[in-house]
Amino acid sequence: MTGKEIEMPVPPSPDVFGRPFVVPELVTGIEPQFHPETADMERKIDAWTRPYLERMEFDEQTIAAFLARRQPWWLILIYPHGVPDRLVAMARLIQFMCAFDDLTDRLDAEEVSERTASLAKRLVSLSSSSSIPDLDPLTGMLADAWTSVTSDMTTGQKARLTAALKEFVEAELRGIEMADAGDIFRFEDYRRFRRFNVGTPVYVRVADFVLGLSFPEEFFTDPDVVEALALVSEHTAFVNDLVSFGKEIACGHWQTNALAVWHVAEGLDLQASVDQLAAHLRKLQQELALRSNRIREGRWAGLEGLESYLTELSLMLPGDVLFEFATSRYRGDGFIWDGITSGIATYHRSHFDITSPAPSGMPW
């Protein structure tokens, strides 16, 4: 215990399962955009991913389910104007992370901690050498993904990517420790922790690379830019918390979730907790807009490509929301999206469901 967490050894009540609650629209005033080369990029990513899954001895049913989740689509959705080859390269890191997660799900707590610590060592090695031996399929997958991403990066971009990956792994280890101890963060501490634990910084701190822009490195140390990227990451984290809560309870990994903070630690009922989460997302969207205006009107005014960069940051929010509601990762294997992103929702042990639009007259 650090003094910043609440000791909660008892898991959330299972009464969250099967109990309907209302989810409002999570992003307002901006619609997601779609990259014109989405289908072609996804085909290339799947063709790269499959041989690694086969070498990891995933059976065909598991491979099919893994690919059907369309996890790289998340990256493509948050970067509707990204350079295709760079999106494909970055998506390989997503596929590695998801394969890592799926393999980790099969392990006990001690093995999970050891595997995550080993990932940290691999990342350190990769950041200092380009000739990592292919000792196993997972290491080979990471090395291949890393090389394909960083080979075209500037020194500054590679440094930012490396730092984000290391911070993500450190936060994952902290989350594992908390789950083992039964701790839950206080809200403000949770916000700071989840900005790294969600993994989004790995993909958004190098937005200039994905968009093919050339900015001075000092741009990325500007406090307003740092906070804007953190707001995007926090927004994606809280949306993920909403759709994943039921599955995380079923798996015993519920502590690092905003709904655990409100529903379990603070004792709010499920609907009140979801209302809190939705209100927080609205606040984050407003804060991102304000921070972007400060960047636009401040010392970087007139920087070539700045408007494209800030536009893409704003589009990341609706793109992420669409993905979280459309992917089968939390909606259940075999799920086909019906276009709904708000309405009457229900948690089940195997999936998250929204079965009908919210009734009219709701206060959102």
Side-chain angles (χ1 to χ4, degrees):
M1 296 284 289
T2 66
K4 295 182 179 180
E5 296 92 30
I6 301 171
E7 187 174 354
M8 286 292 297
V10 180
S13 167
D15 66 3
V16 300
F17 296 115
R19 293 184 176 271
F21 57 95
V22 176
V23 176
E25 288 292 346
L26 302 181
V27 173
T28 58
I30 183 169
E31 297 293 328
Q33 295 184 17
F34 298 89
H35 200 293
E37 298 185 40
T38 296
D40 183 57
M41 286 189 285
E42 286 195 282
R43 281 193 295 270
K44 291 177 180 178
I45 297 161
D46 286 354
W48 175 86
T49 303
R50 174 177 279 278
Y52 283 108
L53 300 182
E54 292 172 346
R55 289 177 58 198
M56 293 175 203
E57 299 184 352
F58 283 62
D59 60 39
E60 182 55 37
Q61 182 177 358
T62 304
I63 292 174
F66 183 99
L67 297 178
R69 294 171 195 160
R70 299 183 68 189
Q71 288 139 159
W73 190 38
W74 172 78
L75 187 72
I76 298 169
L77 277 169
I78 70 169
Y79 281 112
H81 305 104
V83 178
D85 288 348
R86 294 184 173 185
L87 280 171
V88 169
M90 289 292 290
R92 291 173 179 173
L93 278 177
I94 290 180
Q95 295 295 68
F96 163 76
M97 290 296 187
C98 292
F100 180 89
D101 282 347
D102 284 6
L103 289 171
T104 300
D105 285 344
R106 306 174 185 179
L107 307 176
D108 61 30
E110 184 176 351
E111 289 172 323
V112 168
S113 183
E114 290 176 356
R115 179 180 285 275
T116 305
S118 73
L119 175 59
K121 294 178 182 177
R122 289 170 179 166
L123 290 170
V124 170
S125 297
L126 285 168
S127 63
S128 60
S129 173
S130 60
S131 57
I132 305 302
D134 185 1
L135 300 177
D136 62 81
L138 198 61
T139 302
M141 189 179 193
L142 174 57
D144 191 356
W146 181 265
T147 300
S148 65
V149 169
T150 60
S151 60
D152 199 27
M153 281 186 167
T154 66
T155 300
Q157 290 167 342
K158 184 176 178 180
R160 280 183 269 129
L161 177 66
T162 301
L165 279 165
K166 290 178 179 177
E167 289 165 355
F168 165 71
V169 173
E170 289 169 0
E172 280 287 281
L173 287 168
R174 181 69 187 102
I176 292 167
E177 292 172 0
M178 290 191 65
D180 187 52
D183 297 339
I184 301 177
F185 278 109
R186 300 180 189 278
F187 177 69
E188 287 301 324
D189 296 314
Y190 175 77
R191 285 186 65 187
R192 288 189 288 273
F193 163 83
R194 194 72 168 103
R195 286 180 171 193
F196 303 106
N197 170 262
V198 70
T200 303
V202 174
Y203 306 99
V204 301
R205 284 196 196 165
V206 290
D208 55 318
F209 168 76
V210 179
L211 296 170
L213 300 173
S214 180
F215 289 172
E217 273 304 309
E218 62 180 322
F219 175 83
F220 302 100
T221 62
D222 185 298
D224 286 326
V225 176
V226 171
E227 181 62 13
L229 293 172
L231 289 166
V232 170
S233 296
E234 185 176 343
H235 195 282
T236 65
F238 277 67
V239 175
N240 182 264
D241 285 351
L242 174 65
V243 299
S244 68
F245 191 46
K247 184 176 180 180
E248 290 173 354
I249 292 174
C251 295
H253 301 158
W254 50 269
Q255 283 91 337
T256 50
N257 189 298
L259 292 180
V261 174
W262 289 308
H263 182 51
V264 182
E266 298 186 11
L268 299 180
D269 65 27
L270 182 59
Q271 182 64 64
S273 299
V274 172
D275 292 346
Q276 286 275 74
L277 187 148
H280 186 63
L281 288 174
R282 291 194 293 274
K283 179 181 177 182
L284 292 175
Q285 184 182 357
Q286 292 166 357
E287 289 181 356
L288 177 62
L290 291 173
R291 191 71 59 161
S292 295
N293 280 336
R294 286 179 57 171
I295 297 168
R296 184 179 287 112
E297 297 168 1
R299 62 178 292 203
W300 302 110
L303 179 65
E304 185 177 357
L306 179 63
E307 196 58 41
S308 296
Y309 181 88
L310 296 176
T311 296
E312 210 76 354
L313 293 190
S314 67
L315 289 171
M316 288 177 180
L317 307 191
D320 170 73
V321 169
L322 188 154
F323 174 82
E324 293 285 12
F325 282 90
T327 179
S328 61
R329 185 169 184 84
Y330 298 111
R331 304 300 300 272
D333 288 345
F335 171 76
I336 298 175
W337 189 44
D338 52 12
I340 294 175
T341 54
S342 65
I344 309 301
T346 311
Y347 289 121
H348 303 279
R349 290 187 177 274
S350 61
H351 65 284
F352 169 79
D353 193 23
I354 295 184
T355 56
S356 61
S360 60
M362 297 304 291
W364 297 289

